[in-house]
Amino acid sequence: SPRPFGGYYDEVADVLATALEDGAGFGAAVEKVVVDRGEMTIFVRREHLLGVARTLRDHPSLRFEMCLGVSGVHYPGETGRELHAVYPLLSITHGSRRIRLEVTCPDADPHIPSVVEVWPGNDWHERETWDMFGIEFDGHPALTRILMPDDWPGHPQRKDYPLGGIPVEYKGGTVPPPD
């Protein structure tokens, strides 16, 4: 999105750019910034996710103390970046400011660093995203299935997952696959 972004988004982008100059640099860590329908999304390269996350949490002018989870998205048409992890962030210190981080990875290498060490409350959210989409969160303390049975094949929220035709057992009763 072209500048000015509007509202507090310009301040967030400027402070983040200045803070990241000490490390990897804003251009190396951030792919792009999109402001659409009044919401700011910062696309971060996966190898820089933890550094950007720590900066957003710890910098006194940013203080995004809360990560409200992580959502997976599957875009099979985006070759080389089919899987997306989206993190909504909230800054209570600065009057309920909200932004989103988005990280992509390819189907062939579905690895993204875990942010549990930065925001411990993301533990179960990352487990659910792995269970439903197959994104592996490297460094997660216990990345196991949370919704599906341990022996379930595949990841049911992906767009390439087959619809129906899977026999499901409910307390001893069997439901046949649909016609």
Side-chain angles (χ1 to χ4, degrees), residues 50-83:
L50 289 177
V52 172
R54 278 190 201 96
T55 301
L56 286 167
R57 182 195 65 188
D58 297 340
H59 195 283
S61 297
L62 297 171
R63 297 290 298 151
F64 286 94
E65 303 97 344
M66 293 185 68
C67 181
L68 306 174
V70 58
S71 300
V73 188
H74 183 217
Y75 294 111
E78 285 191 26
T79 305
R81 46 187 297 132
E82 294 89 358
L83 296 169

Side-chain angles (χ1 to χ4, degrees), residues 46 50 109-117 126 135-141 143:
R46 64 181 168 170
L50 289 177
D109 182 25
H111 294 269
I112 292 176
S114 172
V115 297
V116 169
E117 68 181 63
E126 287 183 358
I135 298 172
E136 296 182 33
F137 292 95
D138 298 333
H140 189 280
L143 194 60

Side-chain angles (χ1 to χ4, degrees), residues 116-154:
V116 169
E117 68 181 63
V118 180
W119 293 293
N122 250 30
D123 186 344
W124 285 19
H125 297 281
E126 287 183 358
R127 287 179 58 198
E128 181 180 356
T129 302
W130 174 78
D131 197 1
M132 295 289 110
F133 291 92
I135 298 172
E136 296 182 33
F137 292 95
D138 298 333
H140 189 280
L143 194 60
T144 57
R145 289 207 182 256
I146 192 168
L147 298 173
M148 304 304 290
D150 290 337
D151 59 349
W152 192 267

